[in-house]
Amino acid sequence: MTKMRLLRLWIVLGSVFMILLIIVYWDNVGTAHFYLHTSFSRPHPPGALPTTGKDEEREFVSDVDEFLDKLLSSSGRQNDPLRKKTEQPPLHGSSKPILGNMEESVRGYDWSTRDAKQNPDQEKLQAERRNMLREFCANASFVFPTKNRSFDDIPNYELNHLIVDDRHGIIYCYVPKVACTNWKRVMIVLSESLLDQGIPYKDPLDIPREHVHNTSTHLTFNKFWRRYGKFSRHLMKIKLKKYTKFLFVRDPFVRLISAFRSKFELENDEFYRRFAVPMLKLYSNHTSLPTSVSEAFSAGLKVSFPDFIQYLIDPRTEKLAPFNEHWRQVYRLCHPCQIDYDFVGKLETLDEDAAQLLQLLKVDKLLHFPPSYRNRTASSWEEDWFAKIPLAWRQQLYKLYEADFVLFGYPKPENLLKD
């Protein structure tokens, strides 16, 4: 009996020692070095995926995560769905999602193929975007909420937009209404996190939209706690230090117009119940409303753009719940002053930026960014959309999104903020 207890004690102590050894070793020399010197890695199949640069230090795989997962998890968690690739039922159909005429018009997809024009000054432009971010984050006179908190101060639930691909050492912070559907598709292909009939997707456009936005499809930072417990923040910091981090942004006011069009001009039961009904009651004085969006649309009951703006600037909105991700500020989604991004793309230059980024990640031979999302919600529309919005409301709205304008180099819309 005593021998059994001693054996169990040695096993526990040995496991703890191994965990500490792995973490210290990984922190000092990087996951790539660990991968090259352990037997926990699996050989890649022929035509192995390229890595993301900086020689051996970028040869990342998920094997260390899996090993730590086994050590840190109890046997009862072996079937945790977060640790498995999401295998969907066999899917058939064309590589282009089928959209109704209304959705096609509102979302503005353009399936024509256009080669991105390579700008010789793109590296310089990228450096300017990154430097602007760093300068304003370091500028004590420029203040906005959450700016000065540390990464450790960010609540776990606010890290749900950071998607991790351990196969290539990539972290993508997705911003809704900024081509995030197609960038999520790219991340799924690279990470092989979704299977079709047991085989990872190879073409981003083959992935159905409903699976793209399924939260179980992606490994995000907020899931680390369930996988690694108290070691999760330490591992996040290691990945943030060594992985290539990117995000795509868009003119804040144009993004709001796009969000309004897709969520309130199209029939969407969820957004109707959660947002349209309260807006119509508060700002349009409707007391009795249909229970379904189809009935409401048939009766001509739709949220207007002024209703939407009034909802955003209403102080009661944030008191009840944080902004929905489709209109939440980018600095609240992606924490650019706590995370040092390596690449800042813009929807306004999507084709060029996407091509440059895939080259930077050394995956441009594996896949191409899906055909462009034509930006039909153009900056030139701002004056038309805001024509009926009172000046005071516009000024309040700008204050809400000022940090996004400044951090990402979008000019202040002076024409909208003056009589």
Side-chain angles (χ1 to χ4, degrees), residues 33-160:
H33 195 71
F34 184 88
Y35 160 64
L36 292 172
H37 291 81
T38 64
S39 60
F40 301 116
S41 58
R42 297 183 301 272
H44 285 295
L49 299 172
T51 55
T52 58
K54 292 189 180 180
D55 301 316
E56 292 181 353
E57 190 176 64
R58 293 289 184 165
E59 293 186 20
F60 300 111
V61 290
S62 61
D63 304 86
V64 176
D65 282 351
E66 293 175 6
F67 175 68
L68 279 174
D69 197 10
K70 290 176 183 177
L71 286 178
L72 296 173
S73 303
S74 65
S75 60
R77 292 178 57 195
Q78 293 302 310
N79 295 321
D80 186 346
L82 295 177
R83 296 175 58 244
K84 295 184 177 182
K85 295 179 180 178
T86 306
E87 183 169 359
Q88 303 293 345
L91 299 166
H92 304 284
S94 68
S95 60
K96 300 177 183 179
I98 300 173
L99 303 172
N101 291 335
M102 181 63 177
E103 186 171 5
E104 175 74 22
S105 174
V106 171
R107 294 195 187 281
Y109 285 103
D110 172 22
W111 298 110
S112 60
T113 55
R114 296 196 301 277
D115 293 329
K117 297 178 181 178
Q118 293 297 314
N119 185 341
D121 295 325
Q122 278 184 299
E123 287 188 15
K124 179 182 177 183
L125 179 63
Q126 196 54 228
E128 289 173 354
R129 291 176 184 174
R130 295 196 308 273
N131 289 337
M132 179 176 293
L133 254 183
R134 291 164 185 160
E135 287 172 8
F136 279 110
C137 285
N139 188 339
S141 62
F142 179 60
V143 180
F144 58 88
T146 74
K147 175 189 174 185
N148 294 318
R149 66 181 177 180
S150 69
F151 179 76
D152 285 330
D153 292 330
I154 302 173
N156 203 52
Y157 65 87
E158 289 188 19
L159 299 172
N160 62 329

Side-chain angles (χ1 to χ4, degrees), residues 241-302:
K241 179 181 178 182
K242 298 184 180 297
Y243 285 15
T244 300
K245 305 162 292 295
F246 78 94
L247 79 165
F248 271 74
V249 297
R250 183 181 196 177
D251 179 287
F253 279 6
V254 179
R255 179 172 168 245
L256 287 180
I257 296 170
S258 179
F260 172 79
R261 296 182 73 206
S262 69
K263 299 307 174 186
F264 299 110
E265 287 190 345
L266 295 174
E267 292 190 8
N268 185 312
D269 268 312
E270 179 191 358
F271 277 78
Y272 172 73
R273 289 191 303 269
R274 288 182 58 195
F275 303 107
V277 168
M279 288 183 207
L280 289 168
K281 288 180 177 180
L282 282 170
Y283 312 120
S284 295
N285 298 318
H286 290 287
T287 55
S288 180
L289 292 164
T291 56
S292 72
V293 67
S294 58
E295 290 176 302
F297 274 36
S298 297
L301 297 171
K302 292 184 178 182

Side-chain angles (χ1 to χ4, degrees), residues 309-358:
I309 299 303
Q310 193 171 358
Y311 167 81
L312 293 175
I313 63 176
D314 189 334
R316 292 173 294 181
T317 301
E318 278 284 353
K319 288 180 181 178
L320 291 173
F323 276 6
N324 178 269
E325 64 177 2
H326 291 85
W327 46 83
R328 194 179 306 165
Q329 298 92 329
V330 176
Y331 76 83
R332 295 171 65 186
L333 294 171
C334 296
H335 320 290
C337 288
Q338 289 77 27
I339 296 173
D340 188 15
Y341 285 94
D342 302 289
F343 191 94
V344 180
K346 292 191 175 184
L347 191 70
E348 293 81 3
T349 52
L350 177 61
D351 290 340
E352 299 90 339
D353 289 353
Q356 182 186 5
L357 177 60
L358 294 180

